[in-house]
Amino acid sequence: MLEQLNEIEKTALDALRSVADQAALEAWRVAHIGRSSPLMLVFAGLGKLSKEERPAVGAAANRVKAALEAAFEEKVREIKEAALAKSLAEETLDVTLPGRAVHVGRLHPSTQQLRRVLAILAEMGFQVYTSREVETDEFNFQLLNFPPNHPARDMQDTFFVEAGERGENPILLRTHTSPGQIHAMREFAKMNPDNPPPIRIALPGMCFRYEQITARSEIQFNQVEGLVVGENITFADLKGTLSDFARRMFGQNARTRFRADYFPFTEPSAEMDVECFVCGGKGCSVCKNSGWLEILGCGMVHPVVLQNGGYDPKRYSGYAWGMGPERQLMLRYRIDDIRYFWGNDLRFLEQF
Amino acid sequence: MKLPISWLKDYIDLDGLSVEEVARKLTLAGLEVEEIKYVGLPMPDNKGGERHEFKTSGISWARDKIVVAEIREVKPHPNADRLTLLDLFDGEIEQVVLTGAPNIFHLKGTGRLSKPLKVAYAKEGATIYDGHADGLVLTTLKRAKIRGVESYSMVCSEKELGISEEHEGIILLDDDAPVGTPLVDYMGDAVLDVKINPNMARNANVLGVARELAALTGRELKKPVIEYQTAGEAVENLVAIKITEPELNPRFVLGLIRDVTIKPSPYKIQRRLRLAGIRPINNIVDATNYAMLDRGEPLHAFDYDVLKARAGAKKVKIITRPAVDGEKLTTLDGEERTLTSTNVLVCDEKGPLSMAGVMGGAESEVTEKTRNVLLEGAAWNFINIRKTAKQHNLPSEASFRFSRGVHPSLAEVGVRRGLQLMAEWSGGKIAPGLVDAYPLPPKEPTVTVTTRDVKRLLGIDLTLEQIADLLTRLEFKCEITNNQLQVTAPPHRLDIGEGIVGLADVLEEVARSYGYDNIPETRMADALPPQVGNPAHEWEEHVRDLLVNLGFQEIVSYRLTSPERESRLAKFDEYVTLANPIAPERRVMRRSLAASVLEAVEKNARADSIALFEIGPVFEPQPGDLPKEPRKLVLAMTGLREALAWDVKDSPNFDFYDMKGRIELLLSGLHYPDLSYAPTASVPYLHPGKAAEVRIGDAVVGVFGELNPLTKEKYEFGNAPVMVAEFDLDALRGSTPSYGIIPVADVPPVLEDIAVIVDESVPAAQVEALIRQTGGKVLANVRLFDVYRGEQIGAGKKSLAYNLTYQSDRTLTDAEAAAIRKKIVKRLENELGAKLRS
């Protein structure tokens, strides 16, 4: 009997060795540890054995059963692992196939840049002030210290609107956001005409110049202007604020340089250059080898402008500056054709 | 303004300063150098770590290869009639050099020259420009045989040395040129192209720039003294001046020079004028131009004998007056010009002679035959000159200066400098004295400056002495009294005002002279302003964010368009129209933002899928007043709903409900309650059956729908239908949002479906509204999940199937839910004739 059990064990284990898949394993289980397998028949026949034989055969049968079950479990695991390995091997994707696209929305690059600029200025305490795009000569020029026929008007070629005879106050498309300086000052001054409050505003908006549309010149462009008015505002503050802005905008190591310049509505006036952020000032095609990029025009608000805004220039001082988000984008992304901005070509817009 | 460095050096010692350093100092002080053109002087290169800080062009002349030489004899070429062989001495050896220069051809075969010709000589290996090439092409001289004669070097033209385009003949230097000297030492130069801003008009001349440089470097300005001999009868006995309107002509000065010989100016002068961008004509005309560039006063030379003849027996009398409308004058460019009363004329008693400050007349101009020259220097009203130059389209060096303002003090300086140069170059004799009519001298503004002013506006602490020193460098007169500085502008400046304006003008000069770079950077210490914000702007930015999240690409279009372009979508009678458009298709400000956006859709028609939005103003004209600028939002969608991929081959097109879904999300993102949608056929460009208006309460805030096929035909779109939505942002923003949330329930909801059959004419919104109303608070959500039409339910009917979500703060029983459902069905049956579909 014991020999028979050894034989059963040996036969079963031999058979198990050649089992390679789930179906064969199930067949093996039925044949070797199933209800009517030889092993189970041995258990069924235990009662017929003599009292003397029974313990030894019983123990041996139990041992064989445990061994076969363990071998079975081991095989189950083996087959599962083999199947998994096989499926992993078979299920390889071509990871180089392109992913599926999703329709996504984007802001126009000018809006993106306007937001970057306004966000930095907001943290520096500048509130957004917006005003109209079609203006009078008075607000666009005269109140900003550009008298009629002044040579400074040559600096800003202007689109005029047909509006009947209006003498020296024609209607025009604003050439800069600066008319907003007067609107804002008058609005703030109205809050308390005897003691007008300080002002710190950013004036974003579309401006227009009489130009031919070419890669380098456009008839419309965004401008962000800044205006500060207070009782304690200096040219040194102007330098500090705009250099801080440049470091926020172009990197903490950005160096700035202030050159004397001329604008009728500021005095002293300056142009702020930032060390070229493409080449680090070594000279490259973006900075045209100069190492510097012209970023904005600025200056102390002209006394005549303060006066026109309702602020006494003997008591108040201020500074203002203007810069172009499209120009900043052109420098940052090395865009060499300004016409892309209003061309509305998705192939351009989708790159931002 | 083109400024040769050599000329600057007449007035200031620039030793030890490179051309770039000079340019940098000027640029930082507000005289921006836009370009440096090297004409001989060594150019910086990037190799030595020195960068081209400025736009740079030009050529350097090698010291050992390009020298001053002299031609001793001009001999014929054995094999070529048009070439000559020169006996040339370069300071070391005499050699034979071949040339084809026509301007020495007349000396061929005349033997040893009694006076050798000084020339610019380029030796073998020298790099110069190719004189025969178009444009500027560098070439290096190599040994070659030309018609059997060996050639390895050449005498140069101006083009070959980069001085001008001139290649007609070789340069003939002035007689004092030292043979054997490197040419760069004799006349190497660099030309700074300086931008003159309107406030820098005083510096549109060499002395002005030298004065600035002296102030910036602390070097001495070599102030020129004008001295000359005079002879003959005094000019005041021969000529009188009458100024009719001093406001237009504050000063008029005349000088006379007799017995001039008209001939070319010295080469050095011609070269400088060319470098400065002025064509040399003859010694007299050149003297007027040279004096103008030198001092800033435009001069005009009359042929005195012509004036004398016109005056007959009488004394020549110069009269300045405004022109009579329609009066005519032939200017020296040969044009007969019709004048208006804006133009000022210089006349004699017979009539007009020249257009004041802009252009001379033909009759009295200096010619080859002129012997006696009457020289005019005057001051004119700059606005008047500006208008005149614009009116007659006559931009010139003179009108450039006069239209920006030239100080009247320069009228006399200019005439004296001009006479001095004429005498030097023409051998003429200057008549004693000047005739000087000066009815309206300008004010000499005096400005009071305190240390507090400097601190208050510039943020720096300077003593009165320091301030005075900074200003004195720029020739301001400064006087310290009672802790104040009295500053008087120098007599070449018109840009310094009085009072508080004058203070700003003077402080700018203090800052420039001190150096902007030396002013510290500080953070503002002033009080913070009232915080008013800009809710409209913030709200609009929020709208942009919502739309981007919904998959729309923002665009920005030209505000300028044409009625024709817009007429494809809509016709408007009135526009904000430009008086000076750049092109007919950009002559009005847009009325329709949708027209702009559809143009962009058309432009991108090749894309599979397009979803665009734009936010911006349209412009509604108001007679005689500024236009209204209401702000609009336009959305447009067309093409495939789903992005194609290698395994996504097709997709349905965007339709009405794609647009509507996005609008619903936009408006819920803005928290507007009480929204409703109603069919509309009132928008001509929308499909009458597929258009809706959007209402918040009773107010219509926008419309949307499918583009009318008749409108679509006018565009080059793809086949897919085009969805458009247009919102009035001002109306939308005027609606009151409602905030607050529905609490998230802890207990599970009861879900049920209900399908009802109604007449086709019953709008879905009505069914849903009734379900919601009946369900009350417990009915948390109603979602339409199917619309069915078919035989099963009969013609003219539709089946609407809804998911109902019952939600309470406690678990609802099935019986409770069933009761509500029963109520809903009953009301639908009674009020809308609906039938429950089983």
Side-chain angles (χ1 to χ4, degrees), chain B residues 308 510 573 676:
Chain B
K308 216 169 125 187
V510 171
D573 294 333
S676 60

Side-chain angles (χ1 to χ4, degrees), chain A residues 9 14 28 36 58 87-88 125 135 145 194 220 250 261 291 298 315 336 338:
Chain A
E9 184 183 10
D14 285 350
W28 181 89
S36 41
S87 80
L88 286 179
E135 274 289 359
N145 197 33
D194 294 332
Q220 71 178 31
F250 303 110
D261 204 338
C298 55
R315 178 175 160 197
D336 58 9
I338 197 172

Side-chain angles (χ1 to χ4, degrees), chain A residues 104-159:
Chain A
V104 291
R106 293 176 188 82
L107 291 171
H108 189 278
S110 293
T111 306
Q112 294 182 27
Q113 186 65 11
L114 277 166
R115 285 188 175 189
R116 280 181 209 120
V117 168
L118 294 177
I120 294 169
L121 291 176
E123 290 180 11
M124 296 168 76
F126 288 82
Q127 306 176 70
V128 174
Y129 185 91
T130 43
S131 66
R132 54 182 311 119
E133 296 182 8
V134 181
E135 274 289 359
T136 58
D137 190 275
E138 185 187 14
F139 275 84
N140 194 74
F141 289 126
Q142 294 164 35
L143 293 171
L144 292 164
N145 197 33
F146 289 76
N149 289 305
H150 192 272
R153 291 192 175 213
D154 290 350
M155 297 162 76
Q156 301 197 0
D157 287 326
T158 309
F159 282 120

Side-chain angles (χ1 to χ4, degrees), chain A residues 228-246:
Chain A
V228 176
V229 180
E231 293 187 69
N232 185 24
I233 300 295
T234 69
F235 191 80
D237 290 339
L238 172 157
K239 282 189 69 178
T241 305
L242 293 180
S243 295
D244 272 343
F245 172 80

Side-chain angles (χ1 to χ4, degrees), chain B residues 533-790:
Chain B
N534 190 327
H537 178 260
E538 287 157 23
W539 179 84
E540 215 172 75
E541 292 296 303
H542 181 46
V543 172
R544 284 192 170 90
D545 283 338
L546 290 168
L547 290 168
V548 165
N549 290 342
L550 291 168
F552 287 92
Q553 166 72 51
E554 188 190 17
I555 60 167
V556 180
S557 307
Y558 286 106
R559 308 303 207 234
L560 285 163
T561 183
S562 71
E564 296 77 41
R565 293 169 87 120
E566 293 208 325
S567 69
R568 292 195 289 177
L569 196 71
K571 286 197 166 47
F572 300 94
D573 294 333
E574 303 283 323
Y575 274 99
V576 173
T577 305
L578 294 187
N580 58 336
I582 50 155
E585 72 270 18
R586 300 264 176 238
R587 72 179 189 275
V588 301
M589 297 298 273
R590 69 180 173 206
R591 291 291 307 268
S592 166
L593 183 59
S596 299
V597 175
L598 285 179
E599 278 187 29
V601 172
E602 186 176 41
K603 182 163 188 180
N604 291 289
R606 279 198 212 160
D608 289 336
S609 184
I610 301 172
L612 305 178
F613 80 97
E614 179 162 358
I615 287 178
V618 297
F619 300 84
E620 296 172 359
Q622 306 295 310
D625 202 353
L626 290 168
K628 286 188 183 156
E629 300 180 9
R631 297 190 67 85
K632 302 283 182 183
L633 160 65
V634 168
L635 311 173
M637 297 172 77
T638 186
L640 303 180
R641 185 181 297 159
E642 196 181 345
L644 296 186
W646 47 273
D647 62 343
V648 182
K649 304 276 191 283
D650 201 8
S651 153
N653 286 323
F654 284 129
D655 67 12
F656 179 90
Y657 297 105
D658 290 303
M659 179 61 98
K660 186 174 178 193
R662 284 160 176 80
I663 289 171
E664 286 166 341
L665 285 167
L666 168 68
L667 297 175
S668 74
L670 294 169
H671 299 280
Y672 290 128
D674 204 7
L675 288 168
S676 60
Y677 300 85
T680 176
S682 67
V683 185
Y685 67 81
L686 293 179
H687 188 305
K690 298 180 182 178
E693 53 186 33
V694 184
R695 291 188 186 152
I696 299 176
D698 293 330
V700 176
V701 295
V703 292
F704 71 97
E706 186 177 319
L707 200 60
N708 191 317
L710 292 173
T711 307
K712 188 170 177 252
E713 260 177 22
K714 296 177 191 161
Y715 290 84
E716 288 180 29
F717 290 141
N719 293 326
V722 177
M723 304 302 137
V724 188
E726 195 170 1
F727 286 89
D728 181 336
L729 280 186
D730 301 313
L732 196 57
R733 194 165 62 83
S735 310
T736 314
S738 160
Y739 294 96
I741 59 151
I742 298 159
V744 178
D746 291 330
V747 293
V750 176
L751 304 175
E752 265 196 344
D753 291 348
I754 183 174
V756 290
I757 298 165
V758 293
D759 283 348
E760 195 60 84
S761 61
V762 177
Q766 211 178 338
V767 176
E768 186 179 319
L770 195 62
I771 294 173
R772 283 186 186 276
Q773 196 192 14
T774 314
K777 254 171 80 180
V778 173
L779 183 59
N781 196 23
V782 179
R783 189 178 74 89
L784 179 69
F785 72 88
D786 188 38
V787 178
Y788 177 79
R789 296 178 179 85

Side-chain angles (χ1 to χ4, degrees), chain A residues 303-320:
Chain A
V304 166
V305 177
L306 284 172
Q307 204 134 37
N308 290 337
Y311 283 76
D312 178 2
K314 291 198 177 89
R315 178 175 160 197
Y316 292 90
S317 56
Y319 61 86

